[in-house]
Amino acid sequence: DGARGGGRGGAMTTVRPFTCDDLFTYNDVNTDVFTETFNLNFYLSYLSRWPEYFSVATAPDGAIAGYVLGKAEGRGSNWHGHVSAVTVAPSYRRMGLASKLMDELEGISERHHDAYFVDLFVRESNTNAIAMYERLGYGVYRT
């Protein structure tokens, strides 16, 4: 899978599983005030419990352009995906990469857990993210 980048001359980014080694190089992506930054144990617990829900987008030079972190929630046959974080480095924004990462998580939710929806939380002040989620077909459940 890949997402076409626009601002970098159409260079391709590659979406792949996040690895422990990525924890040493992902900090540039977490510089946005809207990005939830968690402690190391949080990332490691997600990586060990829901590795299929942790994907990273890398640029052609190997730099991390963005990532999505999520999990499966539910019981019995009623499962859904949950997005804990999706973020893209400032230099890779406005290229559709966050949408590509969301597509990745939605597909994993459906394929791995037969999930019937994906949910997430977003700050009301993050109007750019809200607009993107609305374009992707998400609706507001509560504020």
Side-chain angles (χ1 to χ4, degrees), residues 4-142:
R4 183 158 300 280
R8 297 229 168 200
M12 293 294 287
T13 56
T14 302
V15 177
R16 62 166 175 77
F18 196 96
T19 68
C20 287
D21 288 343
D22 293 322
L23 291 168
F24 297 109
T25 60
Y26 77 113
N27 283 336
D28 289 343
V29 179
N30 284 347
T31 59
D32 188 292
V33 296
F34 292 115
T35 297
E36 220 33 78
T37 302
F38 306 101
N39 65 43
L40 185 62
N41 286 336
F42 183 88
Y43 290 104
L44 289 172
S45 71
Y46 268 67
L47 193 55
S48 66
R49 186 150 182 209
W50 300 285
E52 69 275 17
Y53 277 92
F54 205 163
S55 299
V56 63
T58 57
D61 66 358
I64 293 181
Y67 66 86
V68 64
L69 167 69
K71 62 183 176 179
E73 295 180 328
R75 55 185 98 137
S77 61
N78 295 319
W79 288 91
H80 68 274
H82 174 77
V83 179
S84 298
V86 60
T87 189
V88 174
S91 59
Y92 293 95
R93 292 192 181 150
R94 300 291 199 216
M95 299 180 195
L97 190 51
S99 296
K100 179 65 178 175
L101 289 166
M102 288 296 297
D103 286 346
E104 179 78 8
L105 188 134
E106 291 167 358
I108 287 166
S109 296
E110 187 174 357
R111 287 188 309 274
H112 289 259
H113 299 282
D114 197 25
Y116 56 98
F117 69 91
V118 170
D119 71 359
L120 56 96
F121 298 100
V122 64
R123 290 184 184 101
E124 282 185 274
S125 59
N126 193 347
T127 56
N128 287 339
I130 291 169
M132 178 195 73
Y133 293 125
E134 288 174 345
R135 280 192 307 274
L136 294 176
Y138 287 80
V140 175
Y141 176 69
R142 66 179 174 212

